[in-house]
Amino acid sequence: MPCTASAWKTPARSRRPTSPPWTTRSRRSSRTASTSRKRARSCRSRRSWKTSSSKPRAESATTMPVITYRDALNQALREEMHRDDRVFLMGEEVAVYQGAYKVSKGLLQEFGEMRVVDTPITELGFAGVGVGAAMCGLRPIIEFMTWNFALLAIDQVVNVAAKMLYMSGGQFPMPMVFRGPNGAALQLAAQHSQAFESWLAHIPGLKVVAPGTPYDAKGLLKAAIRDDNPVCFLEGEMLYNTKGEVPDEEYVIPLGKADLKREGEHCTLITHGKMVLVAMQAADLLAKEGIRCDVVDLRTIRPMDVDAIAESVRKTNRAVVVEEGWELCGVGAQVVDYVQRYCFDHLDAPVLRVHQADAPMPYTKSLEKAAKPDVPKTIAAVKQVLYLD
């Protein structure tokens, strides 16, 4: 049964093995040989996802450029606008000001005001213009200054963009991207600190992407722009200055493919977006204590790479889901459902979730820190599923 990291406690009569608790496999000892053979065949069929993004980086013979998340997005926009003259960018302050977070720096000078379009503060209006442009065969990229402001345009995103292909009987594809920062930053308070991935992923017809590294941000944005469906691309204000290796050569990361950011055998950390950094930091600290974790970066929330989740959990027998949003009906709830559905017989502990406190985000710095998921909470959850606490 899925539980939260704060609520679930080890039962008084829980089994405590004499060997290190994260190596126990007592439940597996009673499995039949036929079940084991079926599971082995199932696991062998799911190996390809591990190298979806790590292979190009590992095989690079030369040192890759290290750039910011912001610059990786800028490169993706520039390359796709050069590649396809139907692609254009529209939003508040994307042109003259070069973007609220400078993601569109230099694009107005390079492509002109017909393809880099400043708009009034009218999210519903320019989202609707983008929908109409997509229906006419263009490929708009609609930038929201924050996904919190996108609530004003939700009718165009949910009721028009997501449903037009279906309601038109396939006559009107919707090749467009809605993008902007998602989730909390620092002391922006309740109205500007919400994580919307679970809201958007609930809607059939939308694809939802949440990259956590510069490499993934560039490759996934290029894939989103080329996709013939509406894609909600969720960035992170706290990620824009983070740096990572991004190759000069062309690459595209397919939507719907997770990435194994780190390999281990004791527990699986499943995460996405800016929480990838939290999970990686937690895994680094746990490794110093001899606890080695898989870190599975979902990258795409809808469609979700269920095979990647299942393969990792079947190997480690334990899972912790780390997400930025609230607990109720969150992305983690769906992940836990997949884990219990496809990995139930492999679990040696309940699946725990690390998430934002169930309250509007406080403005006060100390309360905001207490409300956010972080490294100590993630480490505590991992130790709990290993019966170390």
Side-chain angles (χ1 to χ4, degrees), residues 76 80 139 177 207 209 216-229 231 233 251-255:
E80 291 306 300
R139 307 186 80 88
V177 177
K207 295 186 178 182
V209 181
D216 292 338
K218 180 177 180 179
L220 289 168
L221 182 54
K222 291 170 73 69
I225 294 170
R226 298 181 190 188
D227 201 285
D228 287 332
N229 300 283
V231 180
F233 197 89
Y251 73 96
V252 177
I253 299 174
L255 303 185

Side-chain angles (χ1 to χ4, degrees), residues 260-271 275-297 320 322 374-383 386:
L260 186 62
K261 288 289 192 285
R262 183 188 181 109
E263 288 200 64
E265 64 270 13
H266 298 141
C267 181
T268 297
L269 290 171
I270 305 165
T271 188
M275 290 297 103
V276 172
L277 300 182
V278 171
M280 292 294 285
Q281 291 169 15
D284 287 342
L285 293 174
L286 287 165
K288 296 178 181 179
E289 302 180 39
I291 301 171
R292 294 176 293 277
C293 296
D294 265 11
V295 178
V296 178
D297 179 4
V320 172
V322 187
D374 58 17
V375 172
K377 294 172 187 174
T378 303
I379 291 175
V382 171
K383 290 185 176 182
L386 294 172

Side-chain angles (χ1 to χ4, degrees), residues 29 41 55 72 75 89 92 113 117 120 136-137 140 161 164 170 199 206-207 212 219 227 259 301 322-323 389:
S29 61
R41 289 195 298 269
K55 187 174 181 180
Q75 286 184 8
L89 176 66
E92 296 161 1
E113 60 184 14
V117 184
C136 292
M164 183 57 66
W199 295 38
L206 294 178
K207 295 186 178 182
D227 201 285
D259 185 34
I301 309 303
V322 187
E323 61 184 309
D389 285 338

Side-chain angles (χ1 to χ4, degrees), residues 15 46 68 71 88 126 136 202 208 215 238-239 247 260 279 333 340 355:
R15 56 179 165 76
R46 294 188 175 99
T68 64
D71 290 337
F88 71 97
F126 63 76
C136 292
H202 189 63
V208 182
Y215 179 89
M238 300 301 294
L239 291 175
L260 186 62
Q340 65 83 25
H355 49 76

Side-chain angles (χ1 to χ4, degrees), residues 8 10-11 14-15 17 20-29 31 265-266 313-319 339 343-351 384-387:
W8 187 81
T10 304
S14 64
R15 56 179 165 76
W22 58 85
T23 63
T24 183
R25 295 293 180 266
S26 59
R27 292 180 62 186
R28 295 170 60 192
S29 61
R31 295 171 187 153
E265 64 270 13
H266 298 141
V313 175
R314 286 168 177 164
K315 178 182 72 173
T316 67
N317 308 105
R318 292 171 170 84
V339 171
C343 308
F344 184 80
D345 288 337
H346 297 259
L347 289 173
D348 286 337
V351 182
Q384 194 168 337
V385 300
L386 294 172
Y387 298 110

